[in-house]
Amino acid sequence: MLSPPKGKFRSLDTFNESLAVGYKLLPFRFIRLDSNRYVLTNEVGEFIVVDDNTLRELVSKVLQPNSDIYNDLKAKHFLFDDDSNVALDLLSLKVRSKYEQLSQFTGLHLFVVTLRCDHSCPYCQVSRQSDDRLAFDMSKETAAKGLELTFKSPSPNIKIEFQGGEPLLNFELIKWIVIEAERMNEVHKRDLQFVITTNLSQINDEILEFARQHGILFSTSLDGPEYIHKANRPRPGDDSYTRTISGINRIRESIGPDSVSALMTTTEKSLGSVKEIIDEYVQQGFHHIFLRPLSPYGFAIKTRWYERYDVDRWLDFYFEGLDYILKLNKDGLPFVEIYASIILNKMFSPFGTTYVDLMSPAGHGIAVIAFNYDGEVYASDESRMLAEMGDKTFRLGNIHKNTYEEMMLSDTLLDALEQSITESVPSCNDCAFQPYCGSDPTFHYATQKDVVGHKAFSAFCRRNMAIMRRLVTLLTDDADARRILMSWVRI
Amino acid sequence: MKANELQFESSSECQLSFDKNVYSLAAIKKAAYKFAAEFATNISDKEKIEVKITFNSDIKKEEYPKIVQGFQHEVLDQDLREQIAKETGPIRNVILAEAFSKTALLTEE
Amino acid sequence: MLRLNTKEIEAVGKTTRSDQVIARISTNPNLPAAVRSSHIFLAKKSDELPGGFSYVFCLEDSLKNEDIKASDVSDVYQIPQYLNFVGDGDIVRFNPLKGMLNVLYRKSSAFNALLVTERCNNFCLMCSQPPKDIDDSYIVQDLLKAIPLMSRSSPEICITGGEPTLLGDDLLRLLKALKGNLPSTAVHVLSNGRRFSDPEFTAKMATINHHDLMYGIPVYSDVSNIHDYVVQADGAFDETIRGILNLKQNGQRVEIRVVLHKQTYKRLPQLAMFLARNLLFVDHVALMGLENMGFTKFNMDDLWIDPYDYQKELRDAVEILHRYRMNVSIYNLQLCLLDDWLKPFARKSDLPQFLRTVN
């Protein structure tokens, strides 16, 4: 055995000597969190909360080496010193991971199989037609072309989502598309997923059996308890709620409990009732809710739904909902708010998101594409809704007249993506929340007639900044909330 | 750091001046841009940088001082951002260049 | 603790040779004659002693000296009772002149640790195998002789030291020998990873194309100077991280190892976050309780903390790693100490207790 080597061991101080030389900053953004704190984010969205003084000390290079805050900033790649520069290699790797999924390209493909619908929801973004307007159904030829374009995408994950109107009113075409897509996929071998967005009024045994055989998922609207749901979603017979609930139960019984998910839309009626809405979701056996804002498209503008409440009132609604959901979790009921979970994923996951509205460059075309019933191709669902309002700015082409390359490389698409990229537009480029946010060119175009928009006037910006500030504050100040919010992150 | 001089002129206007040796025009403009929903600005580069603020009609008078304070803080923040950008610009380019280069940083599993 | 090395071996009766051998132990008196020369016969009871083996061992008190001398067999040595764990299939280095017996490999063990060198370029505060700056290149030669004698049914071999990568090309030779002779045996190389910061060395090592090879590499802090302090080497953190990146770039499997003590427990959750955000692609994270071996004794003041006192940090860290779907295991901590939520992550000790120095 060696003789005691004490005296040969160096103390921690001797390893800190290189720190005395000073440190350099790594790229980071910051924004005020509250009256005495800032939130800093590094190049890949790792964040840290510091007080006012610390930020100034950090930038003035007088931060005390080897203090806890210094070590945190160093380990999280906000600064580096003479002792270590592997931070640069790691940051490059992390940046690459964040952007890597861009190369997967379009995953979500929307097939608008019909515009016909049996409901007349005032906030609907598309025109509603009655049963006998067969001119508003997608043809088989258009569907076939749509599938051809779908498999041109290199994405290993292909999701085909049936939209409308009410897609189940053209169930025959859905069946054809599913079977044809599966046949084509024997060659392409992607992870193929099907979703039908539906109001469930047309559900029958044949549809359920087909869905069960092909693993098709359902997405429906549930705006809240009966009185809210019925008011938002009128139907002849005034039975939209009962049909939705019975549809949900039928799907669960015959296929499985996770085969149907629900989305809610916020309207004037919803504000002030967020707890009742969440309770409705809990009672109906759902484990999550997506507290969505109203979008400024389609009938919402025509019938002035959009003007009826402003962002701050919606934020009150949202925060009341989020607090209530956190309380449910603390009381032992796991329940997720989806929008928060998307942002949390952007904060904590090394990878990007495919949630279109929070992507930069925007998800238009490169993450989602919409094939309309009439063969027109749009860069996103919102782009299609804008077209229904008469504005075809985001129309990429026609399925029968334009090639894939013509549409995906068109100036229409590329200009919108390039001009709106948040890494380089005013306000966004130096915003600490840029890694968590997105550009949403159609929203800004719809509201400000400009794909970039002036963010000081942007409801999108105001909404996201408020939510992100709230999430950072909860994560930092409330250990219980932090634990719950972290459990919503899916790596 | 020299103090600004706050002068309220007509009921919805306000005049600020910034020492040119301390604040850059760019920082002031960027800050003004962020407050476009609260007020319009008229900036002139004289002996000092003069900023005339005209509050938007939907802003309540009692909110004016707080908004002006926020603007002044934002100018300082923009100044800080300029410092950071100046120092970290080159290294940011190095990191991004490496991230988007063709070398395989990691093999596919 | 089992003693593996002894100087208390004595010849009984006639001797015809005194050269050192690497040989496999056999308790089979009918072992075919053709292979006896690479074996040492272990006699445990009063059987007729077989001839043709390189050497013969008798456990003391198993055979009477008179009986041994009366038999025709030469080169019989008596070995002490405490070596009665030695069994059929084990591989030993026997040096009769020095009366030294080292057990290099035990067939019955689930994992055998092969110490390949005592040299190291770190000097960790808690090193369980304190480094020696000597020329011990003979060890590799001995192991290359031993490996073909090992059993193909061995589940795992651990390559450790010192710092195995200091062997340079010899490490690759060892891995090739293990791959060729033990094609279904997993290999776990414990290394500080620093030499892998050299991309060429890493690429060369990657040519091994082993079916089940993993490098276990310690990272003791998310802060470079703290890690460097624990391993007592400037610049170690950067080299280790770069080494890990190079290994993964070359398709090798990597495990991050963290010994839990006073210098590492405080920032354990931050280290977990650092691993999750920067090294998500590693194959396993091993969190290990401190063993009172080697240098630990001398640095107790700087190292010792009751594991009970860091359970919160441990839980926070494992929660983070688990959230990021990293494979995590806890070793060398008593199960009763662990929070119920942590218990499923606990594994039986991964290193055999009887790893010891050569002389």
Side-chain angles (χ1 to χ4, degrees):
Chain A
M1 193 59 194
L2 292 178
S3 53
K6 229 183 170 69
K8 266 204 217 173
F9 289 100
R10 292 163 49 194
S11 66
L12 179 58
D13 287 338
T14 66
F15 289 94
N16 294 343
E17 276 161 14
S18 51
L19 276 57
V21 176
Y23 60 89
K24 296 196 178 77
L25 298 177
L26 286 167
F28 72 89
R29 301 177 171 94
F30 68 87
I31 199 168
R32 198 155 263 298
L33 180 66
D34 54 35
S35 56
N36 40 31
R37 293 184 297 181
Y38 284 97
V39 53
L40 281 52
T41 55
N42 72 11
E43 200 58 36
V44 287
E46 293 170 88
F47 73 90
I48 191 166
V49 174
V50 302
D51 61 41
D52 295 2
N53 278 337
T54 305
L55 175 60
R56 285 173 213 291
E57 282 173 19
L58 169 65
V59 182
S60 311
K61 307 295 186 58
V62 297
L63 208 57
Q64 177 76 357
N66 221 43
S67 58
D68 280 343
I69 189 66
Y70 181 94
N71 285 337
D72 286 343
L73 287 162
K74 177 169 161 173
K76 286 189 165 186
H77 299 154
F78 286 85
L79 62 82
F80 70 109
D81 53 37
D82 240 38
D83 193 74
S84 165
N85 60 21
V86 75
L88 300 176
D89 305 65
L90 293 172
L91 273 169
S92 298
L93 247 175
K94 289 190 284 190
V95 168
R96 176 177 283 210
S97 299
K98 275 272 182 191
Y99 286 102
E100 199 138 45
Q101 88 187 8
L102 280 180
S103 65
Q104 293 195 346
F105 216 57
T106 323
L108 180 58
H109 297 80
L110 308 175
F111 281 70
V112 183
V113 293
T114 181
L115 275 199
R116 292 181 292 127
C117 189
D118 58 327
H119 282 50
S120 41
C121 312
Y123 58 65
C124 179
Q125 283 91 356
V126 298
S127 30
R128 49 206 128 178
Q129 307 294 331
S130 58
D131 272 338
D132 57 2
R133 300 280 287 270
L134 291 174
F136 292 92
D137 282 14
M138 180 185 271
S139 70
K140 211 184 262 184
E141 290 74 35
T142 302
K145 266 278 173 203
L147 284 176
E148 206 185 288
L149 294 180
T150 296
F151 282 101
K152 277 212 147 78
S153 165
S155 178
N157 307 304
I158 301 278
K159 190 192 262 191
I160 291 178
E161 194 172 287
F162 298 105
Q163 296 256 7
E166 170 45 56
L168 289 180
L169 288 173
N170 194 357
F171 181 62
E172 287 310 302
L173 186 65
I174 291 178
K175 276 200 296 191
W176 185 87
I177 291 173
V178 169
I179 291 170
E180 181 61 14
E182 283 172 348
R183 189 192 64 79
M184 290 172 77
N185 198 38
E186 276 166 30
V187 171
H188 293 279
K189 298 201 198 309
R190 314 293 179 83
D191 179 2
L192 192 57
Q193 233 185 43
F194 299 101
V195 182
I196 304 177
T197 59
T198 167
N199 58 38
L200 295 180
S201 61
Q202 309 298 316
I203 281 286
N204 61 38
D205 288 335
E206 186 209 346
I207 293 171
L208 288 171
E209 181 53 28
F210 185 82
R212 197 186 58 76
Q213 275 175 20
H214 297 270
I216 303 175
L217 301 172
F218 290 90
S219 171
T220 191
S221 281
L222 180 61
D223 285 4
E226 183 163 10
Y227 70 95
I228 293 179
H229 187 94
K230 281 201 315 189
N232 277 353
R233 304 175 63 82
R235 186 183 186 277
D238 199 29
D239 58 352
S240 59
Y241 175 82
T242 40
R243 282 190 178 241
T244 297
I245 299 302
S246 83
I248 289 170
N249 291 328
R250 278 183 81 179
I251 295 173
R252 285 193 178 139
E253 274 161 33
S254 64
I255 306 177
D258 294 332
S259 301
V260 56
S261 63
L263 286 177
M264 53 85 60
T265 305
T266 315
T267 63
E268 185 69 39
K269 276 250 161 356
S270 326
L271 301 183
S273 309
V274 71
K275 284 188 185 157
E276 286 85 343
I277 297 171
I278 293 169
D279 282 339
E280 178 69 26
Y281 270 69
V282 172
Q283 272 155 36
Q284 297 306 331
F286 290 108
H287 306 291
H288 53 249
I289 191 170
F290 194 147
L291 295 174
R292 294 198 301 173
L294 184 60
S295 57
Y297 306 104
F299 274 102
I301 290 258
K302 283 190 195 167
T303 53
R304 301 241 262 230
W305 278 96
Y306 185 70
E307 281 175 41
R308 285 213 202 151
Y309 63 97
D310 59 33
V311 180
D312 290 344
R313 289 181 65 209
W314 182 86
L315 283 168
D316 287 340
F317 164 84
Y318 179 83
F319 289 135
E320 191 188 341
L322 183 63
D323 285 343
Y324 184 58
I325 289 171
L326 288 173
K327 181 175 185 308
L328 289 176
N329 277 273
K330 280 183 198 164
D331 290 343
L333 175 71
F335 195 87
V336 180
E337 199 289 302
I338 294 293
Y339 195 66
S341 78
I342 292 170
I343 295 172
L344 288 163
N345 252 66
K346 297 193 77 172
M347 293 167 93
F348 291 102
S349 166
F351 312 115
T353 186
T354 49
Y355 178 67
V356 177
D357 294 353
L358 286 179
M359 285 177 70
S360 174
H364 296 59
I366 65 176
V368 63
I369 197 165
F371 304 124
N372 210 3
Y373 70 100
D374 55 5
E376 298 283 86
V377 180
Y378 295 97
S380 68
D381 208 26
E382 287 75 20
S383 313
R384 162 175 85 104
M385 294 169 194
L386 210 58
E388 294 297 334
M389 287 163 66
D391 189 330
K392 294 208 167 191
T393 303
F394 296 95
R395 171 190 175 272
L396 298 182
N398 185 288
I399 235 172
H400 299 289
K401 298 184 191 133
N402 302 107
T403 66
Y404 184 71
E405 288 74 15
E406 277 170 10
M407 292 194 279
M408 301 312 273
L409 297 174
S410 61
D411 286 342
T412 307
L413 182 59
L414 296 183
D415 283 351
L417 293 176
E418 279 178 38
Q419 287 167 15
S420 65
I421 202 166
T422 57
E423 281 81 344
S424 45
V425 302
S427 289
C428 300
N429 69 338
D430 62 23
C431 178
F433 297 129
Q434 186 273 330
Y436 311 142
C437 203
S439 54
D440 208 343
T442 35
F443 179 95
H444 290 103
Y445 181 83
T447 52
Q448 296 187 36
K449 280 281 172 283
D450 169 40
V451 294
V452 179
H454 192 307
K455 296 308 195 298
F457 297 101
S458 162
F460 174 87
C461 176
R462 193 181 179 83
R463 169 170 36 102
N464 283 321
M465 282 179 66
I467 295 175
M468 288 164 192
R469 277 201 174 93
R470 174 64 61 96
L471 289 175
V472 169
T473 305
L474 285 169
L475 287 164
T476 309
D477 296 343
D478 184 339
D480 288 334
R482 185 188 175 97
R483 196 166 243 141
I484 295 164
L485 293 170
M486 291 298 291
S487 76
W488 296 357
V489 176
R490 288 278 163 267
I491 302 298
Chain B
M1 187 162 59
K2 287 204 176 168
N4 303 317
E5 291 153 333
L6 192 72
Q7 297 156 7
F8 279 98
E9 293 184 358
S10 80
S11 54
S12 65
E13 284 182 359
C14 160
Q15 184 81 22
L16 293 177
S17 38
F18 292 88
D19 186 331
K20 278 205 273 199
N21 297 319
V22 179
Y23 307 95
S24 74
L25 191 55
I28 293 166
K29 285 201 271 187
K30 279 191 186 167
Y33 184 87
K34 292 207 165 166
F35 278 81
E38 278 83 11
F39 54 74
T41 46
N42 202 313
I43 304 174
S44 37
D45 190 1
K46 302 205 174 99
E47 200 187 282
K48 295 189 175 201
I49 300 175
E50 307 289 338
V51 181
K52 182 164 116 177
I53 287 173
T54 310
F55 287 95
N56 297 344
S57 53
D58 57 334
I59 305 293
K60 299 198 184 74
K61 224 187 150 120
E62 46 270 27
E63 292 172 21
Y64 289 3
K66 190 158 177 239
I67 292 173
V68 171
Q69 201 177 51
F71 173 66
Q72 288 170 303
H73 282 136
E74 184 61 30
V75 172
L76 287 176
D77 283 352
Q78 287 300 345
D79 183 70
L80 212 56
R81 288 189 182 105
E82 270 176 10
Q83 267 186 267
I84 294 167
K86 199 164 159 202
E87 178 177 335
T88 63
I91 210 163
R92 183 166 183 261
N93 291 337
V94 168
I95 293 167
L96 292 179
E98 179 66 29
F100 293 114
S101 72
K102 286 214 171 81
T103 55
L105 289 170
L106 280 182
T107 54
E108 297 297 307
E109 292 298 329
Chain C
M1 203 184 288
L2 299 167
R3 285 179 61 177
L4 273 189
N5 312 303
T6 178
K7 292 183 182 173
E8 299 151 19
I9 300 173
E10 287 182 2
V12 180
K14 206 169 29 155
T15 63
T16 64
R17 60 191 293 186
S18 58
D19 53 311
Q20 176 177 278
V21 293
I22 309 283
R24 186 196 281 147
I25 299 288
S26 172
T27 53
N28 177 9
N30 300 319
L31 192 71
V35 296
R36 288 188 186 189
S37 58
S38 59
H39 287 71
I40 291 174
F41 184 77
L42 175 63
K44 288 194 175 182
K45 43 196 172 103
S46 11
D47 288 326
E48 221 181 273
L49 291 179
F53 284 89
S54 57
Y55 291 95
V56 175
F57 286 165
C58 292
L59 273 177
E60 69 183 339
D61 303 335
S62 62
L63 262 74
K64 294 203 179 61
N65 283 7
E66 311 88 71
D67 293 335
I68 296 169
K69 288 173 187 167
S71 75
D72 284 332
V73 180
S74 50
D75 302 303
V76 181
Y77 286 77
Q78 194 166 81
I79 61 174
Q81 263 303 326
Y82 57 75
L83 283 179
N84 65 356
F85 63 83
V86 174
D88 192 275
D90 291 354
I91 297 170
V92 301
R93 178 201 294 114
F94 178 49
N95 188 321
L97 282 178
K98 296 186 183 169
M100 276 173 46
L101 178 68
N102 309 125
V103 181
L104 299 176
Y105 164 89
R106 301 208 53 221
K107 183 177 173 188
S108 54
S109 182
F111 17 64
N112 279 275
L114 306 181
L115 182 138
V116 301
T117 178
E118 289 189 278
R119 291 176 296 131
C120 192
N121 51 356
N122 278 358
F123 206 67
C124 303
L125 296 173
M126 65 286 178
C127 182
S128 57
Q129 190 69 39
K132 287 186 200 156
D133 190 14
I134 52 172
D135 179 3
D136 52 10
S137 49
Y138 70 89
I139 297 179
V140 174
Q141 308 314 318
D142 286 351
L143 286 175
L144 288 171
K145 288 193 192 121
I147 287 169
L149 301 173
M150 293 178 186
S151 166
R152 290 191 168 207
S153 62
S154 277
E156 183 176 328
I157 298 279
C158 177
I159 301 273
T160 182
E163 174 48 48
T165 56
L166 294 180
L167 295 180
D169 289 341
D170 274 348
L171 179 58
L172 189 56
R173 287 176 68 199
L174 276 175
L175 291 178
K176 280 187 180 156
L178 286 168
K179 176 180 174 179
N181 287 283
L182 307 173
S184 14
T185 303
V187 175
H188 195 189
V189 177
L190 301 186
S191 164
N192 60 36
R194 292 174 63 189
R195 186 115 189 239
F196 294 112
S197 60
D198 174 357
E200 274 171 36
F201 176 73
T202 314
K204 187 153 44 140
M205 292 301 298
T207 59
I208 182 66
N209 224 3
H210 196 280
H211 58 280
D212 192 353
L213 169 66
M214 185 150 77
Y215 290 92
I217 297 178
V219 177
Y220 293 119
S221 179
D222 58 331
V223 180
S224 61
N225 41 303
I226 296 177
H227 172 93
D228 287 357
Y229 162 62
V230 174
V231 308
Q232 294 281 304
D234 293 298
F237 178 83
D238 273 17
E239 284 182 359
T240 295
I241 300 293
R242 288 205 169 93
I244 293 167
L245 295 179
N246 285 343
L247 282 167
K248 291 312 292 177
Q249 188 177 334
N250 280 274
Q252 303 300 299
R253 288 171 65 222
V254 174
E255 163 190 84
I256 305 287
R257 296 165 74 85
V258 191
V259 180
L260 307 172
H261 55 58
K262 203 168 173 183
Q263 303 302 324
T264 58
Y265 84 94
K266 267 195 214 135
R267 288 191 73 91
L268 195 66
Q270 288 93 323
L271 173 58
M273 202 56 175
F274 175 83
L275 296 176
R277 295 308 302 255
N278 293 282
L279 300 176
L280 185 65
F281 38 77
V282 300
D283 301 274
H284 187 232
V285 179
L287 306 173
M288 307 181 300
L290 182 66
E291 295 179 308
N292 189 8
M293 283 160 54
F295 281 161
T296 306
K297 292 198 249 287
F298 303 115
N299 291 307
M300 259 314 179
D301 287 344
D302 294 321
L303 294 174
W304 170 251
I305 174 173
D306 191 333
Y308 181 79
D309 292 333
Y310 62 59
Q311 287 306 305
K312 179 178 186 313
E313 286 82 358
L314 179 60
R315 163 117 192 212
D316 287 348
V318 176
E319 271 186 24
I320 292 169
L321 296 168
H322 185 65
R323 163 71 36 215
Y324 279 83
R325 303 211 287 183
M326 299 179 81
N327 298 313
V328 195
S329 302
I330 299 172
Y331 298 96
N332 304 341
L333 283 180
Q334 290 168 296
L335 213 57
C336 56
L337 273 174
L338 296 177
D339 186 295
D340 279 342
W341 186 85
L342 284 174
K343 285 192 166 90
F345 296 96
R347 315 260 177 269
K348 280 171 136 179
S349 179
D350 73 330
L351 261 197
Q353 297 293 327
F354 47 83
L355 183 63
R356 263 288 162 254
T357 57
V358 169
N359 56 353

